[in-house]
């Protein structure tokens, strides 16, 4: 069976998008495609299916085959794939496992790149993940456990590069772990992330929202900030507070089209 898909990235967080439901085992397909040594390589697989009342339904499979409820970078890639298919930058109303999300698109000066604003919903406080206390975080270090449809544990630090993120992230595999530091730039923070099901990635959209929310609470940025810029290994995203309505956050950032692919699932050939 030949599978047609596109590949995109949002600030280095890369995804395959399939428009339609593949006959293959989806978790196994995600593991096969996303493996960076034995497959093509990506952080996740996004599958678009029809859903009444919506532009499409988005289902996210992480690189390990597990289902992810929501991805802020992934949904921008997903929306770009649909816009390319339809030849339109009209607003999209996408159903995710975290609920409906509105995506606003606009063109940039590059044919392969769009800018997208995504209504990410409300940020909620949640309990610490299993085995969190085993990490032995310093008592004075700021920590926030938050959800945007998927769980995040955000930790404040003085230097994100000094943290062994891989080792710590592996100890708490049930959460997305973000480490955050303030910067000298106004309303700007620096973040690194270890994502459940994918490991260290160059960017995380829901993680950027959780980190911006925590940073404003901790005073890393002014409490009255209406926008926070989040610098990640893959680039910058902007988190806007109380948009489109009070209590909600919007994530703004790019999606870049990489390639169209046709994969022969029988023998793994890619053309």
């Amino acid at each position: 069976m030949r599978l047609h898909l596109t590949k995109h990235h949002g600030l280095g967080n890369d995804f395959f998008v399939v428009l339609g439901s593949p006959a293959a085992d989806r978790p196994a397909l995600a593991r096969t495609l996303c493996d960076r040594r034995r497959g093509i390589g990506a952080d996740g697989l996004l599958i678009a299916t029809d859903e009444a009342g919506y532009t499409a339904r988005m289902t996210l499979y992480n690189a390990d085959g597990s289902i992810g409820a929501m991805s802020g970078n992934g949904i921008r890639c997903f929306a770009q794939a649909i816009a390319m298919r339809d030849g339109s930058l009209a607003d999209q109303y996408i159903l995710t496992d975290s609920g409906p999300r509105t995506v606003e698109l606009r063109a940039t000066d590059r044919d392969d790149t769009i800018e997208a604003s995504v209504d990410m919903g409300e940020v909620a406080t949640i309990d610490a993940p299993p085995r969190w206390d085993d990490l032995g975080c310093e008592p004075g270090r700021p920590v926030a456990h938050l959800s945007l449809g998927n769980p995040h544990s955000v930790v404040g630090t003085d230097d994100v590069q000094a943290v062994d993120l891989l080792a710590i992230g592996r100890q708490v595999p049930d959460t997305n772990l973000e480490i955050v530091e303030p910067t000298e730039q106004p309303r700007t923070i620096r973040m690194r992330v270890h994502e459940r099901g994918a490991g260290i990635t160059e960017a995380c959209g829901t993680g950027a929202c959780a980190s911006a929310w925590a940073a404003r609470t901790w005073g890393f940025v002014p409490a009255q900030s209406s926008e926070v810029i989040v610098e990640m290994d893959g680039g910058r995203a902007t988190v806007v507070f109380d948009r489109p309505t009070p209590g909600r956050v919007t994530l703004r950032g790019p999606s870049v089209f990489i390639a169209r692919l046709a994969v022969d699932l029988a023998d793994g050939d890619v053309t």
Side-chain angles (χ1 to χ4, degrees), residues 9-64:
H9 79 85
L11 301 176
N13 197 190
D14 55 344
F15 298 88
F16 297 114
V17 182
V18 177
L19 301 180
S21 182
D25 179 318
R26 292 182 180 186
L29 179 62
R31 290 190 294 269
T32 297
L33 291 174
C34 295
D35 191 307
R36 295 193 184 275
R37 294 186 181 274
R38 297 173 177 82
I40 309 169
D43 291 324
L45 170 66
L46 304 166
I47 295 178
T49 51
D50 293 335
E51 186 77 27
Y54 297 88
T55 307
R57 180 183 181 91
M58 181 183 87
T59 305
L60 164 63
Y61 292 86
N62 295 315
D64 67 355

Side-chain angles (χ1 to χ4, degrees), residues 65-83:
S66 62
I67 290 182
M70 179 57 183
S71 169
N73 292 323
I75 197 171
R76 298 200 309 275
C77 296
F78 184 86
Q80 184 182 31
I82 292 175

